[in-house]
Amino acid sequence: AFMLEVFGIHKHYDHPSGKVQVLKGIDLKVNSGDVVAIVGPSGAGKSTLLHIMGGLDRPAEGQVRFDDEDLYRLNENKRAQVRNQKFGFIFQFYHLLPEFTALENVILPALVEKNADLDAVKAKAVKLLDKVGLSQRYEHKPHELSGGEQQRVAIARALINEPKVIFCDEPTGNLDSESGKGVIDLLMELNQKNKQTLVIVTHDESIAKRSHRVVPMRDGKLQ
Ligand code: ADP
């Protein structure tokens, strides 16, 4: 069976100016260890689909199955648990907590789990920050870091619970080409070394080129 399967997804928004049909019947299967790039014009519905696949946004119709469970039939707590334990998220604008240091940002998703061992979690977070090249930045807050550094903190944070799937929404969208390449290299290495599955929404040709599969999307449908 596929690790992640999407069937018949529909999504709309009720806007004062009228109903906006954003996803019009999406089917997609992702194997464990895949690198899937979802590409297409702005407004195609890519981010909405990624959020739905990641258990962040309920579809109007259809199913998202992960490890043979229907994500949106789980209760909110269970779904939050799947998101925290099995999924990692990387966004274009990093979404780090501004009041916390790099190290604290990386630690937090692990502390959500009951019985977390703070010393062990800290040691792991340090290792991850070292891995993404931020050994000199543990105590820096997001505003004291460059965009590329913030994104590397976000990657370390996404990895702290050893997720099976990493969902990335324009991970290089706000970076210069050199930092962008660093981020792509890191993501591909995670896939190759740890067999972590990547689902990436991107405009970045160089990500698409290095993906196993490119899924073009247009006007709420896969092509
Ligand atoms: P993409 O990631 O491909 O650029 P999105 O998934 O972000 O596309 O958005 C798809 C469409 O959904 C866009 O036309 C956008 O205007 C619309 N949309 C997104 N969020 C909302 C919302 N909260 N209310 C109304 N329309 C929305």
Side-chain angles (χ1 to χ4, degrees):
F2 290 90
M3 182 178 54
L4 184 62
E5 287 184 273
V6 160
F7 304 101
I9 295 290
H10 286 77
K11 177 81 180 177
H12 58 263
Y13 292 105
D14 293 310
H15 194 265
S17 64
K19 185 164 163 173
V20 187
Q21 201 68 47
V22 179
L23 299 177
K24 305 172 182 172
I26 304 275
D27 300 301
L28 182 61
K29 294 175 176 16
V30 179
N31 265 316
S32 178
D34 262 355
V35 179
V36 178
I38 303 172
V39 303
S42 174
K46 304 182 299 295
S47 295
T48 305
L49 175 60
L50 191 84
H51 286 114
I52 289 174
M53 290 174 81
L56 293 165
D57 188 10
R58 180 182 290 279
E61 281 175 51
Q63 273 189 30
V64 177
R65 299 189 70 82
F66 172 73
D67 273 353
D68 274 327
E69 271 188 316
D70 180 345
L71 273 190
Y72 293 96
R73 290 191 72 170
L74 300 175
N75 67 35
E76 181 54 49
N77 274 339
K78 278 267 181 215
R79 191 163 50 253
Q81 212 171 24
V82 172
R83 277 198 309 260
N84 198 51
Q85 294 175 350
K86 309 288 185 183
F87 297 167
F89 294 92
I90 298 169
F91 300 101
Q92 179 174 0
F93 297 106
Y94 331 123
H95 292 199
L96 299 174
L97 296 173
E99 298 305 316
F100 292 90
T101 65
L103 189 65
E104 289 164 343
N105 267 283
V106 176
I107 284 172
L108 280 167
L111 294 189
V112 170
E113 297 303 322
K114 282 196 288 259
N115 312 320
D117 170 348
L118 182 57
D119 287 336
V121 167
K122 230 183 210 168
K124 195 170 174 188
V126 161
K127 253 189 167 165
L128 285 170
L129 283 170
D130 292 348
K131 180 181 168 54
V132 299
L134 293 176
S135 315
Q136 311 298 319
R137 299 287 187 276
Y138 302 153
E139 300 304 326
H140 286 235
K141 292 193 174 166
H143 72 93
E144 297 163 337
L145 296 168
S146 73
E149 289 168 342
Q150 289 183 62
Q151 195 60 303
R152 285 184 277 147
V153 175
I155 293 175
R157 176 184 59 181
L159 297 177
I160 190 85
N161 290 332
E162 298 169 31
K164 288 196 172 181
V165 189
I166 306 172
F167 293 98
C168 311
D169 194 354
E170 298 285 5
T172 58
N174 201 38
L175 303 178
D176 60 66
S177 60
E178 196 183 334
S179 325
K181 181 173 183 306
V183 162
I184 302 167
D185 289 344
L186 262 170
L187 291 172
M188 297 303 162
E189 188 190 321
L190 295 170
N191 172 257
Q192 280 156 16
K193 285 209 179 139
N194 312 343
K195 304 292 168 226
Q196 281 165 307
T197 304
L198 305 177
V199 182
I200 311 173
V201 162
T202 187
H203 280 102
D204 188 335
E205 271 300 316
S206 57
I207 294 185
K209 273 203 201 106
R210 292 171 69 179
S211 298
H212 303 165
R213 186 150 56 108
V214 177
V215 178
M217 188 167 181
R218 187 176 201 95
D219 196 21
K221 291 183 201 142
L222 300 188
Q223 300 195 289

